[in-house]
Amino acid sequence: DTEVTQTPKHLVMGMTNKKSLKCEQHMGHRAMYWYKQKAKKPPELMFVYSYEKLSINESVPSRFSPECPNSSLLNLHLHALQPEDSALYLCASSQAGRMNTEAFFGQGTRLTVV
Amino acid sequence: GQNIDQPTEMTATEGAIVQINCTYQTSGFNGLFWYQQHAGEAPTFLSYNVLDGLEEKGRFSSFLSRSKGYSYLLLKELQMKDSASYLCAALSGGYQKVTFGTGTKLQVIP
């Protein structure tokens, strides 16, 4: 199993809503990532979890709140988002602490904030 | 800081060879990835270079020069399905931080 599964695939939410994006992998990877990708732009790193602890936060606004409840799951809690937060949100995982390792990406959640 | 540059767009003919360049300036550099991304899909892994030199994998090869901060992806025997965006990405910061370049949109024409 080399899959990273993200749910939902599509999400439309209002600016006052609270929603969560979910990501799951069963490859035994201990590093998990959230990326944000706007149209025709490369993915931008948001957060990195290593061994279930937040190791990198790329100065992401607090309306995005990550959570890693266990080694297979990664959540991104959303609250009071803005229309400019509409984007494709990608989750990825890799083996932690190794230099030669690829990151496997999920298919993403396409988020629209109205 | 991180600065990774690629050409925005390229066009090449089916059956030909194309080289996509990437220059980078990254602190704590460990290695360089190449990913392929079709429109609306997630990036898929193509290659990873940590040492200088050329690594070949079927129709795709990737080259790295750490001293020059330069890499390229070489695609041979181009097929129409190779039309996609190609992203170089630098790995830094304790093997965790993957920062993507601007991406090169490749169009393969008959």
Side-chain angles (χ1 to χ4, degrees):
Chain A
D1 181 5
T2 57
E3 278 195 2
V4 176
T5 304
Q6 289 187 244
T7 55
K9 288 187 169 46
H10 300 274
L11 178 63
V12 179
M13 61 185 290
M15 289 188 283
T16 58
N17 291 159
K18 285 185 181 180
K19 296 287 184 183
S20 296
L21 309 185
K22 296 187 184 301
C23 174
E24 188 170 3
Q25 57 86 16
H26 297 286
M27 294 178 276
H29 290 169
R30 302 301 293 276
M32 296 186 77
Y33 312 76
W34 280 114
Y35 284 85
K36 172 183 176 180
Q37 187 173 26
K38 303 281 276 185
K40 300 183 180 180
K41 296 287 186 182
E44 296 177 13
L45 184 64
M46 299 175 72
F47 302 104
V48 180
Y49 272 83
S50 180
Y51 297 97
E52 296 84 67
K53 294 193 187 312
L54 183 65
S55 58
I56 295 177
N57 176 343
E58 290 287 279
S59 302
V60 179
S62 60
R63 57 186 185 269
F64 295 91
S65 174
E67 178 198 19
C68 190
N70 61 55
S71 60
S72 299
L73 294 175
L74 184 67
N75 299 322
L76 186 63
H77 302 298
L78 314 172
H79 174 53
L81 294 194
Q82 303 297 311
E84 58 264 29
D85 296 322
S86 298
L88 179 68
Y89 288 83
L90 293 163
C91 172
S93 72
S94 67
Q95 295 185 37
R98 287 188 58 185
M99 196 165 68
N100 186 7
T101 179
E102 66 176 281
F104 290 85
F105 282 84
Q107 290 300 308
T109 295
R110 190 161 297 282
L111 174 69
T112 304
V113 182
V114 297
Chain B
Q2 316 281 350
N3 190 25
I4 305 171
D5 288 318
Q6 307 175 232
T8 305
E9 293 182 345
M10 298 182 73
T11 301
T13 306
E14 190 177 14
I17 299 173
V18 70
Q19 178 175 312
I20 303 175
N21 296 324
C22 170
T23 57
Y24 64 89
Q25 291 175 306
T26 1
S27 55
F29 177 81
N30 290 316
L32 196 112
F33 291 99
W34 282 95
Y35 279 84
Q36 179 192 61
Q37 187 175 28
H38 285 97
E41 297 183 10
T44 55
F45 172 82
L46 293 177
S47 67
Y48 178 68
N49 293 68
V50 61
L51 300 175
D52 285 357
L54 184 70
E55 298 223 358
E56 298 185 67
K57 193 183 293 185
R59 294 190 299 117
F60 291 38
S61 303
S62 56
F63 172 84
L64 177 67
S65 170
R66 296 177 70 113
S67 60
K68 295 181 180 177
Y70 168 69
S71 174
Y72 67 74
L73 180 70
L74 195 69
L75 292 78
K76 303 175 187 175
E77 301 168 17
L78 280 173
Q79 302 175 8
M80 299 300 290
K81 67 178 182 180
D82 297 330
S83 294
S85 287
Y86 290 86
L87 303 160
C88 69
L91 179 66
S92 61
Y95 318 133
Q96 292 179 344
K97 187 168 180 175
V98 177
T99 305
F100 284 86
T102 49
T104 299
K105 186 175 180 181
L106 174 67
Q107 183 180 13
V108 179
I109 58 176

